[in-house]
Amino acid sequence: MDIYITVFKTIVFLIIIIFMINICLKTLGKYTNQSKKNFRIIQKIAVSKTSSIGIVQVIDTYYVMSFSENHNEILKELNDYEVAQLLDSLENAKSSEHNSKDFKQILQDMSDKIQALKKRKR
């Protein structure tokens, strides 16, 4: 009986510790996550295991940058026409994601149509 009490106390103690760690991480997250209104990574594509290329917005200017373990470098500053094309393509990609159906829904629709056709033939 004494071992059950010890195991129960250990489990309760572990739950309390995990809860306290969670609160500490949330509190630290508030202080480390600064406002990123002036700096955003719009899109990032991995080139290799340790490097990538991304489009970064700094205030109102857009840059194509390379990121690696050793250094980061601005490759090109995008002009207004290229920025308009980029933002337009991102909008189109978002709208097409919302309009597309998942496979399960398509399969269900086709199954319903097949059932309706079978009923008509009878």
Side-chain angles (χ1 to χ4, degrees):
M1 185 71 170
D2 194 33
I3 192 162
Y4 294 120
I5 294 172
T6 306
V7 170
F8 179 74
K9 286 180 181 179
T10 305
I11 292 173
V12 169
F13 183 70
L14 285 174
I15 291 171
I16 291 171
I17 293 293
I18 290 172
F19 181 72
M20 291 175 68
I21 289 172
N22 191 16
I23 290 173
C24 289
L25 288 175
K26 285 182 181 181
T27 305
L28 288 174
K30 290 178 184 177
Y31 293 110
T32 58
N33 291 337
Q34 298 172 352
S35 175
K36 297 179 182 178
K37 294 178 184 175
N38 295 330
F39 181 81
R40 288 190 321 162
I41 296 178
I42 305 296
Q43 194 170 23
K44 192 173 181 182
I45 299 170
V47 176
S48 69
K49 189 175 182 180
T50 59
S51 65
S52 60
I53 294 177
I55 299 173
V56 179
Q57 176 189 7
V58 179
I59 304 176
D60 290 330
T61 310
Y62 291 81
Y63 299 100
V64 177
M65 293 183 67
S66 69
F67 304 101
S68 67
E69 288 180 356
N70 299 332
H71 67 286
N72 300 327
E73 183 179 352
I74 295 175
L75 301 175
K76 179 183 178 184
E77 181 178 341
L78 298 178
N79 59 34
D80 293 337
Y81 177 72
E82 292 168 332
V83 170
Q85 279 186 323
L86 170 70
L87 295 177
D88 193 37
S89 67
L90 290 175
E91 274 297 318
N92 289 339
K94 284 182 183 178
S95 65
S96 67
E97 285 178 8
H98 293 297
N99 292 337
S100 65
K101 295 181 180 178
D102 62 341
F103 181 72
K104 185 177 179 180
Q105 183 64 39
I106 294 171
L107 186 62
Q108 183 65 38
D109 291 345
M110 294 305 286
S111 176
D112 293 343
K113 288 180 182 179
I114 290 171
Q115 294 297 327
L117 288 174
K118 284 182 179 178
K119 287 180 181 178
R120 285 185 190 172
K121 287 185 178 180
R122 291 182 189 172

